[in-house]
Amino acid sequence: MGNSLFWSAREPATVEECDSTWESDSEPEEQQALAQKTLATAEEARGGGSGEDQNKDNLDTSFKRKRSYFAARDLYMYRHDYPAKSRENSGQVNLKFYMKEIPLKPDGIYIDDILTTWKGDYDKLENNHTYIQWLFPLREPGLNWHAEELTTEEIKEFLKTKEAKSNYLQGYEIMLDFFGMKLEDKNTGTVARASNWKERFQHLNESEHNYLRITRILKSLGEFKFESFQIGLVHFLLYEALVEETLPNMLHSALEYFVYTIKSRKERRKLLRFAHQHYKPPENFIWGPPRKEVSGAKGTIAKSSLSETTLSAPEKTRCEDISDKSRTNVELAAGTELASSETSPETGMHQKEQLTDQGNTKVENVAAKNNIFVKEKSDHQVTTKPKVPTEIKIGDQALQCQIQNVADTDATEK
């Protein structure tokens, strides 16, 4: 009880407090390289790019995302071993399930049945929603209220039990096959495409509720000390989403959730640097280091301006013309902010948050008469936000402009 009160008084209140990825022990030379790359991107956005780049589709307008506090908070609690927990059950039902002593509830299915008959039965794996909490237990509740939360004592016993670990990895391979992947190396956790990857990737790209399952699997791998398996899976998913572009709908979940299931800050930084290297456009990458001012040839910009609003070519031209003539304040339409679903922080509610984030992954930007309209992939309502001031810099002179953004709103899951 006292432990719970201690942590509730110091619970992180912002995304930045939840995320220690870029704290002082990160490699300074690599942070400097990231800042320099961001500076170069910003210079090009001001008009320093090649003529060919500037002549590209003038209606291609960047939008700004905002990181989810409830996602960051949920993963903070996981990485810090659920500090608010005051007691645990002692029945060890998860270990008994893996040792074939009891069936999962409420379906009464033993793990032997799953391991021997479920592989390749994609309809069953897709439509049954009670097994995943038993195959990949966590120290937090899931959607199957008949499943028991994992305990620290179970984890200790599990790690000493060869049969339980073997059955666990077989269950992991069944789920990888369901997603269109295979475990290439059982020692390192390296993941590769399965032979039927095209069909399964198409399904995975269109069934975003499975991203909740992947988040759970990654957390569970971490609980049972399969850290290299976590890293292998996350890197594979980032590669497919960013480089091969086979899983574009998964990208936001991979960056907002999957990466942050890994407890090692060093490994998270490696994954995020890889992601930023391939993210398009790079200035919209919001998972980089905290903002710090760095000097540039044409003024001062934010080191992590990765999350700042950028202007389309017509809007930059308009600002320059007005700047040369009168230096007066004008109103510009630039940047949009996706509506984010911020559900209750109560236990288990982050799953709704993740589903909504995933529904917002694909958007279409259209600029017309200084108004930007966003059509979301999901059925959530689009709303607009009052004008707020933002300072932009063109050449060596600063121009105050009014930026109209799309507001954050609470979107209800349908």
Side-chain angles (χ1 to χ4, degrees):
M1 182 78 168
N3 200 26
S4 176
L5 290 174
F6 173 83
W7 275 97
S8 64
R10 292 165 174 76
E11 186 174 307
T14 65
V15 170
E16 291 74 19
E17 291 179 6
C18 293
D19 183 7
S20 62
T21 304
W22 302 102
E23 285 188 355
S24 58
D25 64 340
S26 57
E27 298 80 352
E29 65 277 7
E30 297 196 32
Q31 285 206 30
Q32 184 177 4
L34 184 60
Q36 291 173 348
K37 184 174 182 179
T38 303
L39 176 62
T41 302
E43 292 295 335
E44 185 175 337
R46 289 184 183 135
S50 66
E52 180 182 353
D53 291 337
Q54 294 177 28
N55 289 331
K56 289 183 180 179
D57 186 2
N58 288 338
L59 294 183
D60 182 17
T61 305
S62 299
F63 63 89
K64 182 175 68 173
R65 281 191 181 274
K66 181 180 178 181
R67 289 189 60 186
S68 163
Y69 164 70
F70 291 109
R73 176 187 179 275
D74 169 66
L75 293 161
Y76 170 90
M77 293 298 185
Y78 161 76
R79 293 194 306 270
H80 290 79
D81 298 322
Y82 305 94
K85 274 191 175 296
S86 57
R87 65 182 184 84
E88 293 182 328
N89 296 323
S90 56
Q92 296 196 348
V93 295
N94 295 290
L95 183 60
K96 290 178 180 178
F97 169 71
Y98 263 103
M99 295 298 293
K100 309 175 186 179
E101 296 178 16
I102 61 172
L104 66 81
K105 298 177 183 179
D107 297 342
I109 302 171
Y110 283 85
I111 193 170
D112 265 351
D113 297 332
I114 296 175
L115 299 182
T116 57
T117 65
W118 283 37
K119 186 173 184 179
D121 193 340
Y122 300 141
D123 287 338
K124 183 176 290 185
L125 290 167
E126 174 67 30
N127 297 320
N128 187 306
H129 300 286
T130 61
Y131 71 90
I132 198 73
Q133 293 84 9
W134 289 86
L135 276 186
F136 303 98
L138 298 175
R139 286 183 284 167
E140 62 184 69
L143 297 179
N144 180 0
W145 301 111
H146 297 278
E148 294 282 351
E149 295 178 36
L150 188 65
T151 69
T152 52
E153 287 302 318
E154 277 185 302
I155 294 172
K156 293 176 183 177
E157 291 299 319
F158 180 95
L159 295 176
K160 295 187 291 185
T161 309
K162 186 176 180 180
E163 181 181 2
K165 293 173 69 175
S166 174
N167 290 338
Y168 182 87
L169 289 181
Q170 287 183 62
Y172 178 54
E173 291 186 89
I174 287 175
M175 294 308 298
L176 287 179
D177 177 72
F178 172 66
F179 297 138
M181 310 166 200
K182 64 180 179 180
L183 185 60
E184 196 168 54
D185 190 326
K186 292 186 178 181
N187 294 317
T188 65
T190 304
V191 173
R193 291 174 174 178
S195 59
N196 61 344
W197 68 271
K198 287 185 179 180
E199 171 195 344
R200 299 312 302 162
F201 276 23
Q202 181 178 356
H203 173 78
L204 184 58
N205 198 50
E206 297 171 353
S207 58
E208 296 169 349
H209 65 276
N210 278 308
Y211 306 165
L212 287 171
R213 289 175 166 178
I214 293 176
T215 301
R216 185 180 189 92
I217 290 169
L218 286 166
K219 284 182 176 181
S220 187
L221 286 169
E223 293 283 33
F224 291 120
K225 312 304 180 186
F226 290 107
E227 290 91 351
S228 63
F229 286 65
Q230 285 180 297
I231 296 166
L233 179 56
V234 175
H235 185 274
F236 175 81
L237 295 174
L238 286 173
Y239 181 84
E240 290 292 342
L242 285 165
V243 181
E244 298 294 339
E245 298 183 350
T246 53
L247 296 169
N249 292 350
M250 182 184 284
L251 179 57
H252 185 69
S253 289
L255 289 168
E256 191 79 345
Y257 290 86
F258 302 169
V259 169
Y260 293 96
T261 62
I262 296 169
K263 295 185 178 182
S264 167
R265 282 181 286 187
K266 182 177 180 180
E267 295 300 332
R268 292 203 302 273
R269 290 193 296 271
K270 288 181 181 178
L271 290 168
L272 290 173
R273 290 188 187 105
F274 170 80
H276 182 241
Q277 181 182 358
H278 299 282
Y279 195 90
K280 299 175 184 178
E283 65 269 18
N284 283 359
F285 189 83
I286 61 174
W287 297 273
R291 295 179 59 181
K292 292 182 180 179
E293 297 299 319
V294 294
S295 299
K298 293 187 177 182
T300 300
I301 67 166
K303 174 179 179 180
S304 186
S305 58
L306 311 173
S307 61
E308 291 199 2
T309 304
T310 56
L311 300 178
S312 64
E315 291 163 341
K316 287 185 286 187
T317 302
R318 185 177 175 216
C319 278
E320 290 167 354
D321 290 341
I322 294 174
S323 176
D324 290 338
K325 293 176 182 179
S326 62
R327 303 296 176 186
T328 59
N329 290 338
V330 296
E331 292 185 357
L332 299 175
T336 61
E337 190 169 327
L338 290 178
S340 62
S341 171
E342 295 186 350
T343 58
S344 167
E346 296 298 323
T347 305
M349 287 298 100
H350 67 276
Q351 298 183 12
K352 282 190 177 182
E353 167 70 15
Q354 185 175 350
L355 278 175
T356 305
D357 283 347
Q358 293 153 3
N360 292 335
T361 303
K362 296 174 69 179
V363 298
E364 297 174 359
N365 297 331
V366 179
K369 295 182 180 180
N370 295 331
N371 289 303
I372 295 174
F373 300 91
V374 177
K375 179 181 179 182
E376 297 184 357
K377 181 175 181 293
S378 67
D379 295 331
H380 298 154
Q381 183 179 0
V382 177
T383 60
T384 58
K385 179 180 181 180
K387 303 167 187 177
V388 295
T390 300
E391 181 180 353
I392 62 173
K393 293 189 177 182
I394 300 174
D396 294 324
Q397 301 186 19
L399 174 64
Q400 293 292 333
C401 296
Q402 300 292 327
I403 304 299
Q404 180 175 345
N405 297 324
V406 176
D408 283 271
T409 58
D410 289 336
T412 304
E413 182 186 357
K414 305 241 175 175

